[in-house]
Amino acid sequence: MADLWAAFLVSFGVIFVAELGDKSQLMALTFATRFKAWHVILGITIATTVVHLASVAIGFGLGEALPTGWINIVAAVAFFGFAAWTWRGDTLTDDEKSRAERATRAAVIAVGTAFFLAELGDKTMLATITLAADHDWLGVWIGSTVGMVAADALAIVVGRYLGQRLPERLIQYGAAALFVLFGAWLLIEGVAEIS
């Protein structure tokens, strides 16, 4: 049970931070201007649950097949990459913007479909794969899903109240710094395990 809670907490923290300033938050804000907030959050939750379950399955399979020390080193490199990706920033493509703006089907289906497609190959999916390779799969799945939904819900709430005037660059820099710290931690653990 301790492994489950540790995996939940680590995954929640990593994914919550990864989601700050991500295109998913921009999509959530866009959808929230068109649909009720709870419809948007429900659509995000459904899409995230499915994408992160697939991510956890991939990560768990890798974790069983490869030695942990090397997984940590590869994960550290991935987290340094996530830091650079976050530092650079994320924007919606024209196609993603248009999907968010012209969705006419039921709100939950529209939001869920758009988020499912946007999350495939996104840094939060890759981070979930990385975490599942070395942590309890159930804790990673639940923690990463809750972390992403919480970050997107926060964007909707804060965006509505502050008129979308979030200090985006400050959030990007803070999230990038946290990825560097997670990457350094994983690198140290990986090198120690191989030695």
Side-chain angles (χ1 to χ4, degrees):
M1 191 63 143
D3 288 343
L4 177 107
W5 279 107
F8 171 83
L9 293 172
V10 167
S11 299
F12 176 87
V14 167
I15 300 305
F16 184 86
V17 167
E19 200 56 19
L20 296 177
D22 191 66
K23 68 181 173 187
S24 301
Q25 283 191 319
L26 299 173
M27 286 178 65
L29 283 169
T30 303
F31 276 120
T33 62
R34 184 176 175 101
F35 302 120
K36 292 180 180 178
W38 75 271
H39 288 156
V40 176
I41 292 170
L42 181 59
I44 291 168
T45 303
I46 292 167
T48 302
T49 300
V50 173
V51 170
H52 286 205
L53 181 59
S55 303
V56 165
I58 293 167
F60 180 75
L62 289 174
E64 292 295 308
L66 301 173
T68 308
W70 287 107
I71 289 172
N72 282 345
I73 291 173
V74 170
V77 171
F79 275 82
F80 293 140
F82 299 151
W85 190 346
T86 302
W87 183 271
R88 184 196 65 183
D90 216 352
T91 57
L92 292 175
T93 64
D94 290 338
D95 184 44
E96 290 166 333
K97 250 186 222 175
S98 124
R99 253 184 291 173
E101 289 170 356
R102 65 181 157 81
T104 55
R105 295 172 290 176
V108 174
I109 294 170
V111 172
T113 302
F115 269 83
F116 178 82
L117 295 172
E119 285 305 307
L120 294 177
D122 192 49
K123 68 183 170 197
T124 51
M125 181 184 184
L126 300 174
T128 302
I129 290 170
T130 303
L131 289 165
D134 196 33
H135 293 83
D136 179 84
W137 72 269
L138 183 59
V140 171
W141 180 37
I142 296 169
S144 64
T145 301
V146 172
M148 183 164 168
V149 172
D152 289 339
L154 178 67
I156 292 168
V157 170
V158 172
R160 282 190 167 187
Y161 286 116
L162 297 180
Q164 300 177 1
R165 294 182 198 171
L166 298 173
E168 188 176 328
R169 294 308 270 175
L170 181 61
I171 291 171
Q172 284 176 326
Y173 296 152
L178 287 173
F179 271 121
V180 168
L181 289 174
F182 282 122
W185 176 30
L186 288 169
L187 184 61
I188 291 167
E189 280 187 352
V191 169
E193 197 162 316
I194 290 174
S195 302

